[in-house]
Amino acid sequence: MKTASILVAGLVGSASAFSAEQVDRRNLLNSLTSAGAAVALAVGGNLINTEPANAGYSQTYLTEPTDEFKANEEKAMAFKREQLQQKKALTDVLTRLTTVSNSEEELVNDLKELRYLVIKGGGMPAGLKKDDLVKQVRSKKAKGFWPTAVEYEYQRLIREIAFQQSPNKDKDDMNPL
């Protein structure tokens, strides 16, 4: 224990000036890290590189967006506007189907229009899910009047949505199923 006290006292100051009880931890850690760094520099020379790894690269930030970025932003906004228009049209027809339409002909025409909008848009618009559409149509179906022709058109709509979400146009002649 005395040798450890002498070593600690030697790192912090002279052995006669400090005892092990007088050395606080913070001074001990500071002296150990500085002594360790000094030993590492003495042994290894200049092996420790103090510059960051990316010091050779300078980062430049653009002050103005590039033309390519502006073009991509314009395309994204156009797509978003188109999706909002498709969603509004589909929502309007769906609302009409669930609230206003009561005859077989009106129901069939609304379902055909929904199928046309799905085909035209290439699937469901962003922000509207197939499950939401199915829930609303089933709520109308559960209210009572749902003839066979309406059910056929509803099934066509569901198949069209599934096809638009996963269009498997490749024919597999070897598959018997």
Side-chain angles (χ1 to χ4, degrees):
M1 183 70 179
K2 285 189 174 190
T3 57
S5 300
I6 292 172
L7 279 174
V8 168
L11 288 174
V12 175
S14 67
S16 61
F18 295 102
S19 67
E21 289 79 28
Q22 292 175 337
V23 176
D24 65 348
R25 291 181 184 154
R26 183 170 290 147
N27 287 336
L28 176 66
L29 288 174
N30 286 337
S31 63
L32 284 175
T33 55
S34 62
V39 169
L41 284 175
V43 171
N46 194 10
L47 293 178
I48 300 173
N49 189 2
T50 58
E51 293 183 12
N54 64 351
Y57 301 103
S58 63
Q59 293 182 350
T60 57
Y61 294 102
L62 298 174
T63 56
E64 292 293 321
T66 62
D67 293 334
E68 292 174 354
F69 179 78
K70 289 178 183 178
N72 283 337
E73 285 294 312
E74 184 60 36
K75 284 171 50 178
M77 288 304 295
F79 176 76
K80 196 172 196 177
R81 281 191 296 270
E82 182 181 330
Q83 289 291 306
L84 286 173
Q85 289 173 352
Q86 289 176 1
K87 182 180 178 183
K88 184 182 179 317
L90 206 115
T91 306
D92 291 344
V93 174
L94 190 59
T95 303
R96 186 175 66 224
L97 172 78
T98 56
T99 57
V100 176
S101 300
N102 289 324
S103 70
E104 180 178 349
E105 184 180 327
E106 290 174 340
L107 291 170
V108 169
N109 287 337
D110 288 344
L111 288 168
K112 282 183 180 180
E113 190 173 351
L114 282 173
R115 189 164 55 99
Y116 169 74
L117 289 171
V118 168
I119 292 170
K120 179 183 165 192
M124 298 294 288
L128 195 63
K129 297 179 184 175
K130 174 186 171 186
D131 294 339
D132 297 336
L133 182 132
V134 168
K135 285 177 188 176
Q136 290 182 359
V137 173
R138 283 186 180 170
S139 70
K140 175 68 174 183
K141 183 178 177 180
K143 290 179 183 174
F145 182 69
W146 198 257
T148 306
V150 176
E151 180 63 25
Y152 286 159
E153 197 57 44
Y154 170 65
Q155 292 300 325
R156 285 188 195 109
L157 172 65
I158 297 301
R159 280 195 307 271
E160 187 61 44
I161 292 171
F163 175 76
Q164 292 293 333
Q165 288 178 347
S166 178
N168 188 7
K169 296 180 180 179
D170 297 331
K171 299 284 185 190
D172 189 8
D173 295 330
M174 299 304 290
N175 189 357
L177 300 176

